[in-house]
Amino acid sequence: MVPPPAAAARRSLSLDHEMFLDFLVLVLSCLPCVADRESFASVCTLWRRAAGLSDAPPLPGQLPWAIFPSATAVSTVFSILSASSRRIYLPTELVGARFCGSHPGAWVAATGAGHAPGGGNVAVNILSREMVPLPNKKLVPLSRRRRAIELLEGEGPEPWISQRAMKDVVVRAIAFSDAPNSPDCVAAAITQGVYQPSVALCWLGAETQHWAVPWWIPPGVQDLVFLEGGGSMRPSFYLITSWDFLFVASFVDDEQIMVHNCKVQWPADDMLPTLPANVYTSRYLVVSRGRLLMVRRYYSYSQRDGTHQTMLFRVFELQNQTLESWLELGSLDSRALVLARCSSRAFELPAANSEIKPGSIFFLDDITFGDSVAATNDKQYNPNDMSVYYKDEPGFTWPHLCSNLFGVKNIVAFLKHEGKMEIMLFENLQELETYVGDKPIEVEIKGCIRRFNWQQASKCPTPIWFAH
């Protein structure tokens, strides 16, 4: 029996419908970013159904976004996975503020937030809009001698605390042991010092909040990170200094902080002495696979115009639970790093995602991060050193980094001539070959760098990574 024409037409439409759904699922598999998936699902009912199918490809592990600040509520975020930028409406508290930290789960810390209570330091959840005020005062400790005298005189803790001075604190960068709205969260901050950066800790769940500082601060603190089980029953933060010394800071009780040296055996920097005098280093700490990584960032500095340019990265891993020594890693395997003061993260790249080069290091222009804390309405920021670095052959093509947010690829080359070492950037191999010419120069290619295309001078501070 031949089916009626209307029934045959419905069956044909049903087949076409299912075939189109299969096609949409195929398209969905090419969208690794959660923002792209949400945009896909918002097109229409059919596309939303495709996104919700049980056989739809699961989302790979997400990489963070970079939030570019704005003087208004409308800001810009950049997704590494999709290499695309999107508009985002920031909470009122973050308008015009300087980002100084982040935490997984959509938390961003800011200072100078004009609409935030308590002096402008605040942690805000970008997605839920939940706000956690951060203190703007630090409790200056008495000297050890004065504290010992008070204890001998039998004074209790309350008179001792009441005599301690409360002073304003200027936050450079903040790390969190947990989500800021957790009652067990401890915040650790690198603060502005007169001669050097200082360190302060705060129990965010305490009834009275303030930053507590230790009696003694190691000089030249450049970064800090929270590490679970860092040798103390209380939350512990590791600090790294400009002299490559590693320290641990943690609460002794609700008011006192202890900082002790880990006494890690550190090999001398065998590379820096061979480089030109205008090349310097900066350091970051990252937790990856339960271990502590230290990243050295090599950059050149121009005395003429005050600009700097990152050239190279080296990654070291802390060996053994006894904190005995560091070992340089020749490869990050399937990992990518995103670097920011107190907010660096390591991410495992899914095997199915071949667009992000394993071993890539994304970094911000925060080498001189302390210079921007005293910003005024006329302050000009010059974020000219935000890039991605990766070790690979110069001919490697990264499809996602062809967006207009990235500039041309630069080859990092070491040039050795008559016992002198030089580090330079070249746009391609032809430019490198032309520069070398017939001169007896030894050439070693160390990697590639692609820089963000970003406004060179702006009243908006540099961005921060947003781990959603």
Side-chain angles (χ1 to χ4, degrees), residues 185-225:
C185 178
V186 174
I190 299 176
T191 62
Q192 180 73 44
V194 178
Y195 301 107
Q196 64 184 37
S198 184
V199 175
L201 271 65
C202 175
W203 287 94
L204 296 186
E207 186 174 343
T208 303
Q209 292 185 1
H210 57 258
W211 294 105
V213 297
W215 279 301
W216 174 79
I217 303 290
V221 175
Q222 291 194 340
D223 199 16
L224 61 83
V225 69

Side-chain angles (χ1 to χ4, degrees), residues 100-241:
C100 57
S102 65
H103 189 78
W107 289 97
V108 172
T111 183
H115 297 85
N121 296 333
V122 65
V124 179
N125 190 295
I126 297 292
L127 300 182
S128 69
R129 295 310 206 248
E130 182 179 359
M131 183 181 68
V132 176
L134 302 175
N136 69 322
K137 297 282 186 179
K138 65 179 178 180
L139 192 63
V140 180
L142 297 172
S143 67
R144 292 178 183 269
R145 181 174 180 274
R146 176 59 181 162
R147 175 60 178 147
I149 292 174
E150 289 193 352
L151 291 174
L152 289 173
E153 292 175 351
E155 296 186 13
E158 292 184 3
W160 169 56
I161 293 176
S162 65
Q163 294 179 25
R164 298 167 71 184
M166 297 290 291
K167 294 186 177 181
D168 291 335
V169 63
V170 179
V171 174
R172 292 185 173 201
I174 298 178
F176 300 97
S177 66
D178 207 332
N181 61 348
S182 168
D184 299 324
C185 178
V186 174
I190 299 176
T191 62
Q192 180 73 44
V194 178
Y195 301 107
Q196 64 184 37
S198 184
V199 175
L201 271 65
C202 175
W203 287 94
L204 296 186
E207 186 174 343
T208 303
Q209 292 185 1
H210 57 258
W211 294 105
V213 297
W215 279 301
W216 174 79
I217 303 290
V221 175
Q222 291 194 340
D223 199 16
L224 61 83
V225 69
F226 172 72
L227 178 61
E228 191 77 38
S232 171
M233 295 299 293
R234 292 176 177 266
S236 300
F237 293 83
Y238 282 87
L239 323 174
I240 191 74
T241 74

Side-chain angles (χ1 to χ4, degrees), residues 275 278-281 297-303 305-313 363-365 367-368 382-387 408 410-412 423-427 449-451 456:
L275 299 178
N278 69 328
V279 177
Y280 303 88
T281 57
R297 177 176 180 175
Y298 294 77
Y299 64 96
S300 62
Y301 176 75
S302 172
Q303 295 281 356
D305 55 12
T307 60
H308 52 268
Q309 189 172 59
T310 297
M311 300 286 191
L312 181 70
F313 287 90
F363 57 97
L364 304 175
D365 191 357
I367 287 176
T368 56
N382 294 282
N384 58 3
D385 193 21
M386 299 184 295
S387 314
V408 296
N410 291 307
I411 299 171
V412 182
I423 181 170
M424 296 184 64
L425 298 179
F426 298 92
E427 291 189 8
I449 284 181
R450 295 196 68 166
R451 304 191 183 279
Q456 295 299 304

Side-chain angles (χ1 to χ4, degrees), residues 196-351:
Q196 64 184 37
S198 184
V199 175
L201 271 65
C202 175
W203 287 94
L204 296 186
E207 186 174 343
T208 303
Q209 292 185 1
H210 57 258
W211 294 105
V213 297
W215 279 301
W216 174 79
I217 303 290
V221 175
Q222 291 194 340
D223 199 16
L224 61 83
V225 69
F226 172 72
L227 178 61
E228 191 77 38
S232 171
M233 295 299 293
R234 292 176 177 266
S236 300
F237 293 83
Y238 282 87
L239 323 174
I240 191 74
T241 74
S242 56
W243 296 97
D244 294 325
F245 294 133
L246 187 68
F247 294 83
V248 174
S250 59
F251 275 106
V252 177
D253 53 36
D254 292 342
E255 296 292 341
Q256 300 182 73
I257 300 171
M258 176 177 289
V259 177
H260 68 270
N261 191 343
C262 294
K263 298 181 180 179
V264 179
Q265 180 183 357
W266 183 261
D269 192 336
D270 57 345
M271 181 175 293
L272 187 61
T274 67
L275 299 178
N278 69 328
V279 177
Y280 303 88
T281 57
S282 187
R283 295 148 189 83
Y284 299 83
L285 292 177
V286 190
V287 176
S288 176
R289 300 175 180 175
R291 297 216 176 200
L292 192 63
L293 304 182
M294 198 284 298
V295 182
R296 273 182 181 162
R297 177 176 180 175
Y298 294 77
Y299 64 96
S300 62
Y301 176 75
S302 172
Q303 295 281 356
R304 180 176 54 83
D305 55 12
T307 60
H308 52 268
Q309 189 172 59
T310 297
M311 300 286 191
L312 181 70
F313 287 90
R314 296 172 72 185
V315 182
F316 301 80
E317 183 179 81
L318 190 60
Q319 298 299 293
N320 303 327
Q321 296 298 324
T322 55
L323 308 179
E324 293 178 354
S325 62
W326 296 92
L327 176 67
E328 183 172 7
L329 299 180
S331 170
L332 288 171
D333 301 324
S334 59
R335 290 172 290 183
L337 302 182
V338 292
L339 301 181
R341 301 294 175 185
C342 300
S343 303
S344 299
R345 301 280 186 272
F347 292 88
E348 300 288 341
L349 298 176

Side-chain angles (χ1 to χ4, degrees), residues 445-458:
I445 296 176
K446 290 291 186 178
C448 298
I449 284 181
R450 295 196 68 166
R451 304 191 183 279
F452 280 87
N453 287 327
W454 184 247
Q455 188 175 356
Q456 295 299 304
S458 170

